[in-house]
Amino acid sequence: MEKAIRARVRAGDSVAFGQIFEDHARAVHRYAVRMTGDQALAEDVVSLTFLEAWRLRARVDPEGESLRPWLLGIATNVIRNTRRAARRHQQALAKLPPREAVPDFAAELTGRIADAEQIAAAKAALEQLRPAEREVFALCVWEGLDHAAAAEALGKPVGTVRSRLSRARSRLRELTAKELVAARSAKSTHPPEKTQRTGICGQVTGDRALAVRSIKETNR
């Protein structure tokens, strides 16, 4: 079925491309949310991904099994470009005079999360991964792609994907443990006040420590 749609997309059939959007837009959006932590930005990523996919439709492999790796690969490039643009924007803002501080009420919400420390530690650990490791982790663990599909998405050899994923998992375990120790040490030295700011990412709910295992492993 998808092979027939691939041929139609390559030929510029907008109806077939609309079917591709219906089939894969949710997966692209989920991936973008997890990579950016921003729902609104993720929606922009989806739009840009499918615009780029339409522009590159002639590159669709007519014999492939699924278009999801190809679309997630495009989304990865869109996110990279978005982050570069965001860094340039932040650099420009840094040159402006500082604004008056505004109270952050998000801390009241984070206090309701039982594993807030672990979430914050996992978020900090994820941010310390190299971008290439974070991308492989997101594709293989969050999106459930196998090594071959992730390699297709990133345009890298399967061996590279496998080694990056292994390294990402090891570093996440190590970095998360270090962040937890540091956070608890700081907490014991400086008892928290009524409201305490805790870093939180909207990418994954629940125990973020489980993120270091693949989806297949956690579903056993």
Side-chain angles (χ1 to χ4, degrees), residues 150-190:
E152 179 186 345
L154 297 172
K156 299 292 183 182
V158 173
T160 299
V161 168
R162 187 180 292 110
S163 62
R164 285 181 181 176
L165 180 59
S166 176
R167 187 163 56 246
R169 283 174 166 162
S170 296
R171 294 193 69 217
L172 272 176
R173 293 188 186 99
E174 178 184 350
L175 292 171
T176 300
K178 288 182 178 178
E179 290 293 332
L180 279 171
V181 170
R184 289 166 182 170
S185 175
K187 187 175 181 180
S188 63
T189 304
H190 304 286

Side-chain angles (χ1 to χ4, degrees), residues 41-103:
L41 179 56
E43 292 175 3
D44 292 339
V45 170
V46 172
S47 298
L48 292 171
T49 295
F50 282 92
L51 283 172
E52 186 68 0
W54 177 254
R55 186 179 72 84
L56 300 174
R57 61 189 181 277
R59 299 185 186 180
V60 170
D61 180 2
E63 301 300 325
E65 294 298 327
S66 172
L67 283 171
R68 190 159 72 111
W70 180 64
L71 291 169
L72 292 178
I74 293 175
T76 298
N77 288 330
V78 169
I79 292 168
R80 289 172 183 169
N81 293 336
T82 299
R83 284 176 171 162
R84 281 194 288 268
R87 283 196 296 270
R88 290 193 293 268
H89 180 65
Q90 289 298 324
Q91 290 169 358
L93 290 179
K95 298 177 182 179
L96 298 176
R99 294 183 177 182
E100 183 179 352
V102 177

Side-chain angles (χ1 to χ4, degrees), residues 30-38 83 126 134 142 200-205 208:
R30 181 178 61 239
Y31 173 68
V33 169
R34 287 169 166 171
M35 288 295 289
T36 65
D38 187 319
R83 284 176 171 162
L126 282 168
R134 191 162 54 242
W142 286 337
I200 184 167
C201 178
Q203 296 173 346
V204 177
T205 58
R208 288 301 295 273

